[in-house]
Amino acid sequence: MRKPIIAGNWKMNKTIDQGISFVNEIKEKIAGTDAEVVLCPPATMLAQLKQAATGTGVKIGAQNMHQAEDGAFTGEISAAMLSDLKIDYVIIGHSERRQYFNETDQGVNEKVLKALETGITPILCCGETLEEREAGNTNEVVKKQVLAGLEGVPAEKAATVVIAYEPIWAIGTGKTATSEDANTVISFIRESVDAVYGKEVSEAVRIQYGGSVKPSNVKTLMAETDIDGALVGGASLDPESFLGLLDF
Ligand code: PGA
């Protein structure tokens, strides 16, 4: 049985005080949820949020990391630095990173390998553009992104990776893929993982949907057979709304 995982991606939002108040506001209300609860704040507050979240059941994730061990990479943060803070997850290859910061499948793969080697669980993102969807290339695009991202990852580690399927046209636009469409693509991703790693791994891997998930549509999405959670931007910023995402 895969444990559902609901992760808030705060992107470039919130100050430290706002982040800590958020954790304080949700911490007592998440008891009893079936889901694993993850918050991915900006790097500036990872340390404080991890501290605020300790003992609450809330896990903390980073939004990005660099693949190199250390060195001359001004502005970047390494896996060892995240591990220093006992960060649990790291989002890798979000479409905004791919689009605005030129992240490639190869770089994404290097980051996935480095995160796993350091003991941090990657949330590996994939998703097609509207043009790619309209051209009928969704499956091909997401399969390439996922398998490239997992290149060289041994089976026992691959089983722990979280995959987030986020159609780019649905991110921050209010347009959600229908739950059936999302489930179809996610099942296909699972089959693609199966073809490389076999059933044990593909049945263990958790695959989230992301793109305009809100309290009002989370139930329908989560009712699908292959959707194991959500990666949520806009609707994760407000505590009430975030708690609503756990009610599925
Ligand atoms: P959204 O963002 O929920 O605001 O669409 C999702 C994401 O980018 O992870």
Side-chain angles (χ1 to χ4, degrees):
M1 210 33 207
R2 298 183 294 268
K3 188 175 177 70
I5 172 167
I6 304 287
N9 173 11
W10 286 354
K11 307 190 179 181
M12 198 171 71
N13 292 288
K14 294 192 191 293
T15 59
I16 296 173
D17 281 354
Q18 291 168 340
I20 292 174
S21 314
F22 186 106
V23 171
N24 289 336
E25 209 162 321
I26 66 162
K27 67 182 181 195
E28 259 124 50
K29 302 183 182 148
I30 61 165
T33 178
D34 290 335
E36 190 171 356
V37 177
V38 183
L39 294 175
C40 304
T44 47
M45 69 174 92
L46 282 170
Q48 283 95 334
L49 230 61
K50 179 67 198 180
Q51 213 168 15
T54 300
T56 67
V58 177
K59 305 250 175 85
I60 302 296
Q63 296 175 13
N64 179 38
M65 55 165 256
H66 197 276
Q67 59 269 44
E69 183 64 32
D70 52 27
F73 299 101
T74 302
E76 292 292 323
I77 293 173
S78 72
M81 293 168 188
L82 297 179
S83 169
D84 222 11
L85 301 178
K86 313 247 175 329
I87 294 307
D88 309 284
Y89 288 95
V90 58
I91 300 173
I92 295 194
H94 188 280
S95 61
E96 286 153 16
R97 301 283 326 164
R98 293 180 192 257
Q99 187 182 349
Y100 304 130
F101 302 96
N102 305 320
E103 291 206 5
T104 61
D105 281 341
Q106 195 195 328
V108 166
N109 177 233
E110 288 166 5
K111 291 182 182 197
V112 166
L113 291 167
K114 192 70 187 173
L116 288 167
E117 181 194 311
T118 316
I120 304 168
T121 303
I123 300 179
L124 167 61
C125 299
C126 65
E128 81 286 5
T129 62
L130 188 58
E131 296 71 49
E132 288 163 341
R133 170 161 286 247
E134 285 173 347
N137 293 335
T138 299
N139 284 359
E140 189 190 319
V141 168
V142 296
K143 179 177 179 179
K144 180 173 167 285
Q145 289 173 335
V146 170
L147 296 187
L150 292 174
E151 181 87 45
V153 175
E156 71 278 8
K157 290 206 169 160
T160 69
V161 171
V162 176
I163 297 171
Y165 167 57
E166 301 200 302
I168 294 170
W169 48 271
I171 294 179
T173 57
K175 287 186 197 143
T176 332
T178 65
S179 50
E180 294 83 6
D181 277 350
N183 197 57
T184 304
V185 178
I186 287 178
S187 311
F188 174 77
I189 293 171
R190 204 177 297 288
E191 281 165 31
S192 308
V193 172
D194 180 47
V196 176
Y197 289 103
K199 272 269 166 299
E200 206 176 316
V201 171
S202 69
E203 288 299 319
V205 154
R206 292 181 295 174
I207 311 181
Q208 302 172 301
Y209 169 77
S212 298
V213 178
K214 321 180 252 297
S216 60
N217 59 23
V218 73
K219 266 197 181 72
T220 355
L221 287 160
M222 293 299 287
E224 295 289 341
T225 51
D226 277 276
I227 303 181
D228 302 318
L231 181 57
V232 188
S236 75
L237 292 171
D238 170 72
E240 267 323 291
S241 167
F242 185 78
L243 289 167
L245 298 168
L246 303 177
D247 182 22
F248 52 83

